[in-house]
Short mmCIF file of all heavy atoms in Angstrom, two decimals:
data_model
loop_
_atom_site.label_atom_id
_atom_site.label_comp_id
_atom_site.label_asym_id
_atom_site.label_seq_id
_atom_site.Cartn_x
_atom_site.Cartn_y
_atom_site.Cartn_z
N GLU A 127 161.44 78.96 44.02
CA GLU A 127 160.22 79.58 43.49
C GLU A 127 159.91 79.25 42.03
O GLU A 127 158.69 79.04 41.65
CB GLU A 127 160.37 81.20 43.67
CG GLU A 127 160.12 81.70 45.05
CD GLU A 127 160.80 83.01 45.31
OE1 GLU A 127 160.06 84.04 44.87
OE2 GLU A 127 161.82 83.17 45.66
N GLN A 128 160.93 79.21 41.31
CA GLN A 128 160.78 78.84 39.76
C GLN A 128 160.21 77.52 39.69
O GLN A 128 159.26 77.28 38.96
CB GLN A 128 162.17 78.82 39.07
CG GLN A 128 162.74 80.26 38.91
CD GLN A 128 163.46 80.69 40.15
OE1 GLN A 128 163.35 80.17 41.19
NE2 GLN A 128 164.08 81.88 40.03
N GLU A 129 160.75 76.52 40.49
CA GLU A 129 160.29 75.15 40.38
C GLU A 129 158.80 75.09 40.82
O GLU A 129 157.87 74.41 40.16
CB GLU A 129 161.10 74.20 41.21
CG GLU A 129 160.83 72.78 41.24
CD GLU A 129 160.89 72.08 39.92
OE1 GLU A 129 161.55 72.74 38.88
OE2 GLU A 129 160.38 70.92 39.74
N ILE A 130 158.49 75.78 41.85
CA ILE A 130 157.03 75.78 42.40
C ILE A 130 156.06 76.33 41.26
O ILE A 130 155.07 75.88 40.99
CB ILE A 130 156.87 76.50 43.73
CG1 ILE A 130 157.62 75.81 44.75
CG2 ILE A 130 155.43 76.69 44.08
CD1 ILE A 130 157.64 76.45 46.20
N GLY A 131 156.65 77.42 40.54
CA GLY A 131 155.84 78.05 39.48
C GLY A 131 155.50 77.07 38.43
O GLY A 131 154.35 77.00 37.97
N LYS A 132 156.42 76.29 38.01
CA LYS A 132 156.19 75.19 36.94
C LYS A 132 155.27 74.23 37.44
O LYS A 132 154.24 73.88 36.77
CB LYS A 132 157.51 74.55 36.62
CG LYS A 132 158.31 75.22 35.54
CD LYS A 132 159.52 74.28 35.05
CE LYS A 132 160.79 75.00 35.15
NZ LYS A 132 161.96 74.10 35.48
N LEU A 133 155.51 73.79 38.69
CA LEU A 133 154.56 72.70 39.22
C LEU A 133 153.17 73.23 39.39
O LEU A 133 152.20 72.46 39.23
CB LEU A 133 155.12 72.26 40.64
CG LEU A 133 156.40 71.44 40.64
CD1 LEU A 133 156.90 71.30 42.10
CD2 LEU A 133 156.18 70.06 40.08
N THR A 134 153.02 74.52 39.72
CA THR A 134 151.74 75.10 39.94
C THR A 134 150.87 74.90 38.67
O THR A 134 149.77 74.41 38.67
CB THR A 134 151.81 76.54 40.28
OG1 THR A 134 152.50 76.60 41.56
CG2 THR A 134 150.44 77.27 40.40
N ARG A 135 151.41 75.37 37.61
CA ARG A 135 150.80 75.23 36.28
C ARG A 135 150.43 73.82 35.88
O ARG A 135 149.22 73.43 35.49
CB ARG A 135 151.52 75.93 35.19
CG ARG A 135 150.65 76.09 33.88
CD ARG A 135 151.43 76.73 32.77
NE ARG A 135 150.73 76.46 31.50
CZ ARG A 135 149.66 77.12 31.06
NH1 ARG A 135 149.21 78.31 31.65
NH2 ARG A 135 149.20 76.82 29.82
N ASN A 136 151.42 73.01 36.05
CA ASN A 136 151.28 71.48 35.78
C ASN A 136 150.29 70.87 36.62
O ASN A 136 149.38 70.12 36.06
CB ASN A 136 152.59 70.86 35.99
CG ASN A 136 152.91 70.02 34.95
OD1 ASN A 136 152.04 69.66 34.14
ND2 ASN A 136 154.21 69.66 34.69
N ASN A 137 150.22 71.11 37.90
CA ASN A 137 149.22 70.54 38.81
C ASN A 137 147.90 71.04 38.49
O ASN A 137 146.91 70.27 38.56
CB ASN A 137 149.55 70.88 40.23
CG ASN A 137 150.76 70.09 40.87
OD1 ASN A 137 150.99 70.09 42.07
ND2 ASN A 137 151.47 69.35 40.10
N ILE A 138 147.73 72.33 38.20
CA ILE A 138 146.37 72.85 37.79
C ILE A 138 145.85 72.09 36.57
O ILE A 138 144.69 71.59 36.54
CB ILE A 138 146.39 74.44 37.61
CG1 ILE A 138 146.76 75.11 38.83
CG2 ILE A 138 145.13 74.85 36.97
CD1 ILE A 138 146.98 76.57 38.70
N LEU A 139 146.80 71.92 35.67
CA LEU A 139 146.29 71.16 34.50
C LEU A 139 145.84 69.73 34.80
O LEU A 139 144.94 69.23 34.28
CB LEU A 139 147.32 71.16 33.26
CG LEU A 139 147.56 72.56 32.67
CD1 LEU A 139 148.70 72.61 31.75
CD2 LEU A 139 146.23 72.99 31.96
N ASP A 140 146.61 69.06 35.62
CA ASP A 140 146.33 67.74 36.09
C ASP A 140 144.93 67.68 36.70
O ASP A 140 144.08 66.87 36.54
CB ASP A 140 147.37 67.16 37.10
CG ASP A 140 148.59 66.80 36.37
OD1 ASP A 140 148.65 66.56 35.20
OD2 ASP A 140 149.62 66.52 37.12
N ILE A 141 144.61 68.68 37.48
CA ILE A 141 143.36 68.74 38.18
C ILE A 141 142.25 68.93 37.21
O ILE A 141 141.24 68.24 37.17
CB ILE A 141 143.32 69.85 39.32
CG1 ILE A 141 144.25 69.53 40.40
CG2 ILE A 141 141.94 70.10 39.86
CD1 ILE A 141 144.62 70.76 41.29
N LEU A 142 142.48 69.89 36.29
CA LEU A 142 141.46 70.15 35.25
C LEU A 142 141.26 69.04 34.34
O LEU A 142 140.28 69.05 33.52
CB LEU A 142 141.80 71.58 34.56
CG LEU A 142 141.72 72.75 35.49
CD1 LEU A 142 142.25 74.09 34.69
CD2 LEU A 142 140.33 72.98 36.05
N SER A 143 142.21 68.11 34.21
CA SER A 143 142.07 66.98 33.28
C SER A 143 140.96 66.18 33.65
O SER A 143 140.41 65.33 32.85
CB SER A 143 143.44 66.21 33.24
OG SER A 143 143.51 65.52 34.42
N LEU A 144 140.38 66.36 34.85
CA LEU A 144 139.15 65.55 35.25
C LEU A 144 137.90 66.17 34.56
O LEU A 144 136.77 65.52 34.64
CB LEU A 144 138.94 65.55 36.75
CG LEU A 144 139.97 64.70 37.56
CD1 LEU A 144 139.77 64.98 39.01
CD2 LEU A 144 139.84 63.32 37.22
N GLY A 145 138.04 67.39 33.97
CA GLY A 145 136.91 67.83 33.09
C GLY A 145 136.03 68.77 34.01
O GLY A 145 134.77 68.77 33.79
N PHE A 146 136.51 69.61 34.91
CA PHE A 146 135.71 70.54 35.68
C PHE A 146 135.14 71.60 34.71
O PHE A 146 135.78 71.93 33.75
CB PHE A 146 136.54 71.22 36.71
CG PHE A 146 136.91 70.34 37.90
CD1 PHE A 146 138.09 69.80 38.00
CD2 PHE A 146 135.89 70.08 38.81
CE1 PHE A 146 138.37 68.88 39.04
CE2 PHE A 146 136.17 69.23 39.89
CZ PHE A 146 137.47 68.69 40.08
N LYS A 147 133.95 72.10 35.04
CA LYS A 147 133.32 73.08 34.16
C LYS A 147 133.90 74.55 34.55
O LYS A 147 133.98 74.92 35.66
CB LYS A 147 131.83 73.15 34.50
CG LYS A 147 131.14 71.87 34.31
CD LYS A 147 129.87 71.96 33.58
CE LYS A 147 129.38 70.61 32.95
NZ LYS A 147 129.46 69.54 33.84
N PRO A 148 134.26 75.37 33.42
CA PRO A 148 134.98 76.61 33.73
C PRO A 148 134.08 77.53 34.35
O PRO A 148 134.49 78.50 35.21
CB PRO A 148 135.27 77.01 32.30
CG PRO A 148 134.83 76.19 31.29
CD PRO A 148 134.23 75.01 32.03
N ASP A 149 132.69 77.66 34.14
CA ASP A 149 131.94 78.68 34.71
C ASP A 149 131.67 78.48 36.23
O ASP A 149 131.32 79.43 36.95
CB ASP A 149 130.58 78.84 33.94
CG ASP A 149 129.86 77.44 33.94
OD1 ASP A 149 130.58 76.42 33.93
OD2 ASP A 149 128.59 77.45 33.96
N LYS A 150 131.89 77.28 36.77
CA LYS A 150 131.72 77.13 38.21
C LYS A 150 132.92 76.75 38.86
O LYS A 150 132.86 76.40 40.13
CB LYS A 150 130.52 76.04 38.40
CG LYS A 150 129.17 76.49 37.99
CD LYS A 150 128.16 75.62 38.74
CE LYS A 150 126.81 76.07 38.48
NZ LYS A 150 126.30 77.28 38.94
N THR A 151 134.08 76.65 38.25
CA THR A 151 135.31 76.33 38.88
C THR A 151 136.22 77.44 38.94
O THR A 151 136.61 78.04 37.90
CB THR A 151 135.89 75.09 38.10
OG1 THR A 151 134.84 74.05 38.01
CG2 THR A 151 137.16 74.51 38.81
N HIS A 152 136.83 77.73 40.13
CA HIS A 152 137.60 78.97 40.24
C HIS A 152 138.78 78.60 41.05
O HIS A 152 138.79 78.24 42.19
CB HIS A 152 136.73 79.93 41.08
CG HIS A 152 135.23 80.05 40.70
ND1 HIS A 152 134.93 80.94 39.69
CD2 HIS A 152 134.18 79.50 40.98
CE1 HIS A 152 133.62 80.84 39.47
NE2 HIS A 152 133.16 79.93 40.31
N ILE A 153 139.97 78.82 40.30
CA ILE A 153 141.26 78.32 40.88
C ILE A 153 141.89 79.51 41.54
O ILE A 153 142.09 80.55 40.86
CB ILE A 153 142.10 77.70 39.82
CG1 ILE A 153 141.39 76.43 39.38
CG2 ILE A 153 143.49 77.35 40.37
CD1 ILE A 153 142.12 75.52 38.44
N ILE A 154 142.32 79.38 42.81
CA ILE A 154 142.94 80.50 43.44
C ILE A 154 144.41 80.15 43.72
O ILE A 154 144.65 79.15 44.52
CB ILE A 154 142.34 80.66 44.93
CG1 ILE A 154 140.78 80.93 44.70
CG2 ILE A 154 143.04 81.83 45.70
CD1 ILE A 154 140.05 81.05 46.13
N VAL A 155 145.30 80.77 43.04
CA VAL A 155 146.83 80.47 43.40
C VAL A 155 147.16 81.40 44.35
O VAL A 155 147.07 82.73 44.26
CB VAL A 155 147.60 80.60 42.06
CG1 VAL A 155 149.01 80.43 42.39
CG2 VAL A 155 147.15 79.68 41.00
N ASP A 156 147.60 81.13 45.61
CA ASP A 156 147.80 81.94 46.68
C ASP A 156 148.70 83.18 46.36
O ASP A 156 148.29 84.29 46.66
CB ASP A 156 148.48 81.17 47.85
CG ASP A 156 147.44 80.29 48.64
OD1 ASP A 156 146.32 80.31 48.25
OD2 ASP A 156 147.80 79.67 49.65
N THR A 157 149.85 82.94 45.74
CA THR A 157 150.63 84.13 45.48
C THR A 157 150.06 85.08 44.46
O THR A 157 150.43 86.32 44.42
CB THR A 157 152.10 83.72 45.02
OG1 THR A 157 151.93 82.95 43.87
CG2 THR A 157 152.76 82.93 46.02
N GLU A 158 149.14 84.56 43.60
CA GLU A 158 148.51 85.50 42.60
C GLU A 158 147.39 86.28 43.17
O GLU A 158 147.04 87.37 42.72
CB GLU A 158 148.10 84.69 41.42
CG GLU A 158 149.31 84.36 40.48
CD GLU A 158 148.92 83.32 39.39
OE1 GLU A 158 147.57 83.25 39.03
OE2 GLU A 158 149.77 82.59 38.87
N GLN A 159 146.76 85.79 44.17
CA GLN A 159 145.52 86.29 44.73
C GLN A 159 145.96 86.92 46.12
O GLN A 159 145.06 86.94 47.00
CB GLN A 159 144.38 85.31 44.92
CG GLN A 159 143.92 84.84 43.56
CD GLN A 159 143.24 85.97 42.67
OE1 GLN A 159 142.84 86.96 43.25
NE2 GLN A 159 143.20 85.62 41.45
N SER A 160 147.17 87.19 46.30
CA SER A 160 147.56 87.47 47.72
C SER A 160 146.88 88.71 48.29
O SER A 160 146.61 88.73 49.53
CB SER A 160 149.17 87.67 47.75
OG SER A 160 149.49 88.59 46.68
N GLY A 161 146.53 89.59 47.51
CA GLY A 161 145.76 90.86 48.01
C GLY A 161 144.51 90.37 48.69
O GLY A 161 144.33 90.65 49.78
N ILE A 162 143.63 89.74 47.94
CA ILE A 162 142.39 89.30 48.50
C ILE A 162 142.53 88.36 49.63
O ILE A 162 141.95 88.42 50.65
CB ILE A 162 141.60 88.47 47.37
CG1 ILE A 162 141.32 89.32 46.11
CG2 ILE A 162 140.39 87.81 47.89
CD1 ILE A 162 140.00 89.99 46.24
N LEU A 163 143.52 87.36 49.49
CA LEU A 163 143.68 86.40 50.54
C LEU A 163 144.32 86.96 51.80
O LEU A 163 143.83 86.64 52.92
CB LEU A 163 144.50 85.18 50.05
CG LEU A 163 144.04 84.33 48.93
CD1 LEU A 163 145.06 83.29 48.47
CD2 LEU A 163 142.69 83.63 49.39
N TYR A 164 145.32 87.78 51.63
CA TYR A 164 145.95 88.29 52.83
C TYR A 164 144.99 89.16 53.75
O TYR A 164 145.09 88.94 55.02
CB TYR A 164 147.28 89.05 52.42
CG TYR A 164 147.94 89.57 53.64
CD1 TYR A 164 148.76 88.73 54.36
CD2 TYR A 164 147.77 90.85 54.16
CE1 TYR A 164 149.39 89.24 55.49
CE2 TYR A 164 148.44 91.39 55.24
CZ TYR A 164 149.29 90.50 56.00
OH TYR A 164 149.83 90.88 57.10
N ASN A 165 144.23 89.98 53.06
CA ASN A 165 143.28 90.78 53.90
C ASN A 165 142.38 89.88 54.71
O ASN A 165 142.08 90.35 55.83
CB ASN A 165 142.47 91.61 52.91
CG ASN A 165 143.29 92.74 52.33
OD1 ASN A 165 144.44 92.87 52.75
ND2 ASN A 165 142.67 93.39 51.30
N GLN A 166 141.99 88.73 54.33
CA GLN A 166 141.20 87.86 55.10
C GLN A 166 142.09 86.97 56.08
O GLN A 166 141.67 86.81 57.22
CB GLN A 166 140.35 86.84 54.25
CG GLN A 166 139.42 87.67 53.28
CD GLN A 166 138.39 88.59 54.05
OE1 GLN A 166 138.07 88.32 55.09
NE2 GLN A 166 137.93 89.48 53.20
N ALA A 167 143.24 86.59 55.58
CA ALA A 167 144.11 85.67 56.40
C ALA A 167 144.51 86.41 57.73
O ALA A 167 144.61 85.85 58.80
CB ALA A 167 145.23 85.22 55.60
N VAL A 168 144.75 87.75 57.55
CA VAL A 168 145.22 88.52 58.73
C VAL A 168 144.17 88.48 59.78
O VAL A 168 144.36 88.40 60.98
CB VAL A 168 145.75 89.81 58.21
CG1 VAL A 168 144.53 90.83 58.13
CG2 VAL A 168 146.71 90.38 59.15
N ARG A 169 142.84 88.53 59.29
CA ARG A 169 141.74 88.49 60.30
C ARG A 169 141.77 87.20 61.04
O ARG A 169 141.45 87.08 62.20
CB ARG A 169 140.49 88.70 59.61
CG ARG A 169 140.31 90.03 58.97
CD ARG A 169 138.99 90.09 58.02
NE ARG A 169 137.84 90.15 58.88
CZ ARG A 169 136.62 89.77 58.41
NH1 ARG A 169 136.53 89.28 57.22
NH2 ARG A 169 135.57 89.80 59.22
N VAL A 170 142.02 86.06 60.20
CA VAL A 170 142.01 84.70 60.92
C VAL A 170 143.26 84.67 61.78
O VAL A 170 143.08 84.09 63.02
CB VAL A 170 142.22 83.67 59.66
CG1 VAL A 170 142.27 82.25 60.43
CG2 VAL A 170 141.03 83.73 58.75
N SER A 171 144.43 85.13 61.42
CA SER A 171 145.57 84.86 62.15
C SER A 171 145.50 85.56 63.56
O SER A 171 146.15 85.09 64.51
CB SER A 171 146.83 85.39 61.43
OG SER A 171 146.77 86.84 61.35
N ARG A 172 144.72 86.56 63.70
CA ARG A 172 144.61 87.34 64.98
C ARG A 172 144.04 86.38 66.07
O ARG A 172 144.26 86.50 67.22
CB ARG A 172 143.68 88.55 64.85
CG ARG A 172 143.66 89.39 66.10
CD ARG A 172 143.39 90.78 65.71
NE ARG A 172 141.88 90.95 65.70
CZ ARG A 172 141.40 92.17 65.75
NH1 ARG A 172 142.10 93.29 65.96
NH2 ARG A 172 140.17 92.37 65.85
N HIS A 173 143.31 85.27 65.64
CA HIS A 173 142.69 84.47 66.55
C HIS A 173 143.39 83.04 66.79
O HIS A 173 142.89 82.24 67.41
CB HIS A 173 141.28 84.16 66.14
CG HIS A 173 140.34 85.27 66.08
ND1 HIS A 173 139.70 85.85 67.12
CD2 HIS A 173 140.02 86.14 65.01
CE1 HIS A 173 139.10 86.92 66.81
NE2 HIS A 173 139.22 87.14 65.51
N ILE A 174 144.59 83.01 66.18
CA ILE A 174 145.31 81.69 66.31
C ILE A 174 146.65 81.99 67.06
O ILE A 174 147.51 82.81 66.56
CB ILE A 174 145.70 81.04 65.02
CG1 ILE A 174 144.32 80.75 64.24
CG2 ILE A 174 146.40 79.75 65.22
CD1 ILE A 174 144.53 80.24 62.88
N THR A 175 146.83 81.36 68.24
CA THR A 175 148.03 81.63 69.03
C THR A 175 149.14 80.67 68.61
O THR A 175 148.94 79.65 68.01
CB THR A 175 147.88 81.48 70.52
OG1 THR A 175 147.41 80.05 70.70
CG2 THR A 175 146.72 82.45 71.19
N ALA A 176 150.34 81.06 68.94
CA ALA A 176 151.46 80.17 68.63
C ALA A 176 151.39 78.90 69.32
O ALA A 176 151.69 77.81 68.76
CB ALA A 176 152.80 80.93 69.03
#
Side-chain angles (χ1 to χ4, degrees):
E127 283 161 83
Q128 287 79 354
E129 183 60 13
I130 293 177
K132 270 193 237 148
L133 289 170
T134 294
R135 188 177 164 90
N136 224 342
N137 283 190
I138 292 174
L139 289 173
D140 282 345
I141 293 165
L142 295 178
S143 72
L144 289 174
F146 287 101
K147 302 222 163 52
D149 56 327
K150 286 202 180 291
T151 305
H152 314 273
I153 296 182
I154 305 177
V155 177
D156 280 2
T157 56
E158 282 172 23
Q159 298 293 341
S160 48
I162 297 269
L163 294 177
Y164 181 76
N165 288 348
Q166 301 299 337
V168 82
R169 298 171 70 203
V170 175
S171 69
R172 188 152 86 157
H173 298 278
I174 303 173
T175 62

